[in-house]
Amino acid sequence: MKLAMVGTGYVGLVSGTCFAEFGIDVVCVDKDLSKIETLNKGGIPIFEPGLEDLVAKQVKAGRLSFTTNLTDAVKGADAVFIAVGTPPRPEDGHADLSYVYQAAKEVAALAEGYTVIVTKSTVPVGTAREVEKIVAQHKKPNVTIDVCSNPEFLREGAAINDFMRPDRVVIGTESEKAAQVMREIYRPLYINETPMVVTSPESSEIIKYAANAFLATKITFINEIANLCETTGGNVQHVAKAIGLDGRIGSKFLHAGPGYGGSCFPKDTLALTQTGQMKDTPQTIVESVVAANANRQYDMAQRVIKACGGSVTGKKIGILGVAFKPNTDDVRDAPALVIIPELQKAGAIIVAHDPEAREEASHHLSDVEWQDDPYNVAKNADALAIITEWNEYRALDMARIAGSMHEKRLVDMRNIYKPEEMEKLNFHYVSIGRAEIVPDGVEALRKVS
Ligand SMILES: NC(=O)c1ccc[n+]([C@@H]2O[C@H](COP(=O)([O-])OP(=O)(O)OC[C@H]3O[C@@H](n4cnc5c(N)ncnc54)[C@H](O)[C@@H]3O)[C@@H](O)[C@H]2O)c1
C-alpha cells in the first residue's frame, strides 16, 4: 500500500507519519520548499510533542519521505490525501477551497491507475461533489478515480495520540471500492475496534463541522455561565464539575477561559454559519457562539484594564502565554492576538513569554518585549495576565512573582491558581467565574448582587 499526502502542515505531517507507522509507504508533498528542505534535513517545521522522533523513525525505516514533486508522489499511490489549508475567505468567512480544488486538479491529471482522492482537509458540505466534477474534467480518460471524505479530528499538542487512538474514523464515500481501500489504510485501528462510520460524503463533511461547532458551543456556554457566577457569587468550577458529572453532558470542554481560538474552531464555526446562510438554513446557535466568543476576547482585555483601575496607559502588563493552547506553537486566532493589541491600543507596554509560540506570535504582534523567563515578565509589572495554561505556569513561585511586581495584580484567564492562596499573597486576583480577590481600597471588577 502506498499513499501520497498533499500538504505537509499540522494535519498532513502528523497523518502521513502515523500512516507510515501503520506500515504504509507514505510520500508527503508540499509546495513550500523550505518546509520540505527542513524535513529532509531531519528538522520539524512545527512544534508537536513526539513528532520529531516518530518522523525520524519512519524515515529511517524507509516508509516516509518528503518532496515538492507531486508527480513522484502520486505515481503508484493507492490513495492521495489532500490535507491543505482551508482558511476563511477574508470577504465572508466561508472556507477558501481554492487550495483543495487546485490540489485535486493536479492529482487527477497525474493519476495513472485506480486512485482514491481523499479530502482530509476540513471542507464544507458539497465539496466532495465539487472535487468529483474537477476530477472528471482533469483525469486521464482510462483512469478511474473515486473521491472520499475523511475528516481529521486530531488536536494540536496531542496530535499523535489522537491520530493513533481516535474516538472514531469517518469515511464518506458512495464507492464500495474506495471504502475498502480506506478500511485497509485504517486496518490497524479497525483491529483495535476503533468505530468506523462509513457514510455519504455529505454526512461526513457535516460531521466534522457539527463536532467542532458543538465543542465551541460548549466552551462558549460555560464562559457565559462563568459570567453569571461572577455577578452572583457562584463558582464556575463547581458548576462545571457538577454538570459534567451528568453522563449526558460530559466533563470535557467545560473549562471557562478567554474564549476559544486556534486554527479550527474559529474558522469552522464561521464557515458553518456561512454554509447555513448559503443553503437558507441559518445556524442561529452557532451564529450566537461566534459573536459571543469574539466579544469575550475583547472583554478579557477590558478585565485587565479595569483591574488596573480603568487605565493601562504607560503601565507595564506582563503576558504569560500567547499560543492558543498549551503544547503548541500555533497562534492562529489565539485570544492573545486580540487581547495584546487591545491593551496596546489602550496604552499598555507589553512584556511577554511563551515557551514555544514566541516566534510565530512575533509575526502577528508588534512592540512586544519578549522574555525567556516568566519571572522576568512579572518584574516591575503593573499587572500579570495568564492567557495560556502552559504547565510551566502552573507552579510558579508566586511569592517571588508578587515580590517583584510593581503592583500585585494577577488576571488568571485559565483559573490555574487558588484564590485563597493569591489572597494570602495580597494579590488583586481576577479569575474566571470565581470570586475576585479584592484588596482593601480597590474597586471590584464586578459587583456581586
Ligand atoms: N491543525 C489542526 O489541528 C487541524 C485538525 C483537524 C483538521 N484540520 C484541517 O486540516 C486542514 C489542514 O490544516 P493544517 O493546520 O494542517 O494546515 P497548514 O496550514 O499547517 O498546512 C497546509 C499545508 O498545505 C500546503 N499546500 C497548500 N496547497 C498545496 C498544494 N497544492 N500542494 C502541496 N501542498 C500544498 C501548504 O504549503 C501547507 O504547508 C485544514 O482544512 C484544517 O481545517 C486541522
Side-chain angles (χ1 to χ4, degrees):
M1 175 78 60
K2 184 192 162 192
L3 299 184
M5 182 66 64
V6 184
T8 309
Y10 282 89
V11 166
L13 183 55
V14 172
S15 311
T17 308
C18 291
F19 282 138
E21 181 79 7
F22 289 175
I24 301 168
D25 287 335
V26 181
V27 182
C28 289
V29 198
D30 206 289
K31 289 215 146 142
D32 184 337
L33 178 63
S34 68
K35 246 180 209 182
I36 296 299
E37 279 177 350
T38 303
L39 286 159
N40 279 330
K41 281 186 205 142
I44 298 285
I46 54 169
F47 173 75
E48 181 60 44
L51 188 57
E52 194 164 354
D53 290 348
L54 203 59
V55 168
K57 180 180 160 199
Q58 292 310 320
V59 169
K60 196 167 168 217
R63 281 191 292 268
L64 181 64
S65 61
F66 306 100
T67 181
T68 53
N69 188 325
L70 189 64
T71 313
D72 291 349
V74 171
K75 202 177 210 164
D78 300 280
V80 180
F81 283 71
I82 298 177
V84 300
T86 48
R89 285 195 307 227
E91 63 274 21
D92 59 6
H94 195 267
D96 179 352
L97 296 170
S98 57
Y99 304 100
V100 172
Y101 292 156
Q102 181 61 28
K105 192 167 136 182
E106 291 172 21
V107 172
L110 290 167
E112 285 177 346
Y114 176 73
T115 311
V116 184
I117 294 185
V118 188
T119 47
K120 197 155 233 350
S121 300
T122 301
V123 291
V125 55
T127 303
R129 299 288 173 199
E130 284 303 313
V131 171
E132 276 172 4
K133 285 185 207 157
I134 291 168
V135 166
Q137 279 165 15
H138 293 90
K139 74 178 184 67
K140 297 190 175 100
N142 54 345
V143 168
T144 303
I145 296 176
D146 280 326
V147 173
C148 177
S149 156
N150 172 225
E152 182 49 55
F153 298 94
L154 64 77
R155 294 161 302 164
E156 288 171 22
I160 294 170
N161 189 54
D162 285 352
F163 195 92
M164 299 300 234
R165 290 169 203 80
D167 291 332
R168 76 302 207 188
V169 171
V170 176
I171 294 167
T173 182
E174 277 166 350
S175 154
E176 188 39 45
K177 195 171 173 187
Q180 213 33 56
V181 171
M182 296 300 286
R183 282 197 194 93
E184 187 56 30
I185 291 168
Y186 281 104
R187 205 162 62 92
L189 300 184
Y190 199 59
I191 292 165
N192 284 347
E193 297 186 355
T194 301
M196 303 262 164
V197 180
V198 181
T199 181
S200 66
E202 285 75 14
S203 300
S204 171
E205 289 166 340
I206 292 173
I207 286 166
K208 174 67 191 175
Y209 283 94
N212 273 0
F214 192 84
L215 294 173
T217 302
K218 231 177 149 183
I219 294 170
T220 308
F221 176 81
I222 202 67
N223 283 342
E224 294 209 330
I225 293 292
N227 288 348
L228 186 62
C229 288
E230 287 164 16
T231 53
T232 57
N235 180 326
V236 74
Q237 286 178 309
H238 298 176
V239 175
K241 181 164 185 198
I243 65 172
L245 285 167
D246 184 328
R248 295 167 301 176
I249 296 173
S251 60
K252 292 188 177 154
F253 284 78
L254 285 180
H255 299 287
Y260 61 79
S263 63
C264 292
F265 287 179
K267 88 174 169 56
D268 294 349
T269 46
L270 201 58
L272 182 61
T273 63
Q274 284 300 313
T275 304
Q277 291 294 342
M278 280 163 58
K279 301 288 176 190
D280 209 14
T281 42
Q283 300 297 299
T284 54
I285 295 172
V286 185
E287 284 173 7
S288 312
V289 165
V290 170
N293 193 63
N295 281 338
R296 183 141 192 99
Q297 302 186 353
Y298 288 100
D299 180 53
M300 289 297 123
Q302 287 309 314
R303 285 177 193 226
V304 177
I305 295 168
K306 281 192 202 153
C308 291
S311 168
V312 287
T313 308
K315 288 187 177 151
K316 180 175 159 180
I317 309 295
I319 300 286
L320 294 181
V322 291
F324 84 92
K325 64 174 183 180
N327 288 331
T328 182
D329 60 349
D330 200 341
V331 297
R332 286 179 279 185
D333 277 317
L337 298 194
V338 173
I339 297 166
I340 292 174
E342 277 303 297
L343 292 172
Q344 288 174 320
K345 239 190 277 168
I349 299 156
I350 302 292
V351 186
H353 173 269
D354 189 286
E356 296 293 340
R358 169 181 173 164
E359 195 190 322
E360 280 302 315
S362 57
H363 301 309
H364 304 270
L365 296 167
S366 49
D367 298 325
V368 171
E369 182 191 323
W370 292 98
Q371 290 288 349
D372 292 330
D373 179 347
Y375 290 100
N376 288 342
V377 168
K379 213 177 265 174
N380 297 323
D382 293 281
L384 187 63
I386 302 172
I387 305 185
T388 315
E389 69 279 34
W390 283 95
N391 269 345
E392 71 172 277
Y393 302 152
R394 287 180 185 275
L396 292 170
D397 178 346
M398 293 310 284
R400 180 176 161 197
I401 295 234
S404 74
M405 290 180 75
H406 181 239
E407 296 282 350
K408 291 187 222 171
R409 298 184 185 113
L410 178 61
V411 182
D412 179 359
M413 299 180 193
R414 300 291 182 172
N415 288 354
I416 63 179
Y417 283 96
K418 291 201 171 101
E420 49 289 5
E421 285 173 13
M422 296 306 103
E423 189 166 25
K424 276 189 214 147
L425 293 169
N426 285 327
F427 268 106
H428 177 190
Y429 178 68
V430 178
S431 58
I432 304 293
R434 305 188 301 183
E436 182 181 347
I437 304 299
V438 192
D440 291 343
V442 171
E443 209 184 317
L445 260 57
R446 288 211 209 250
K447 295 225 163 44
V448 177
S449 57

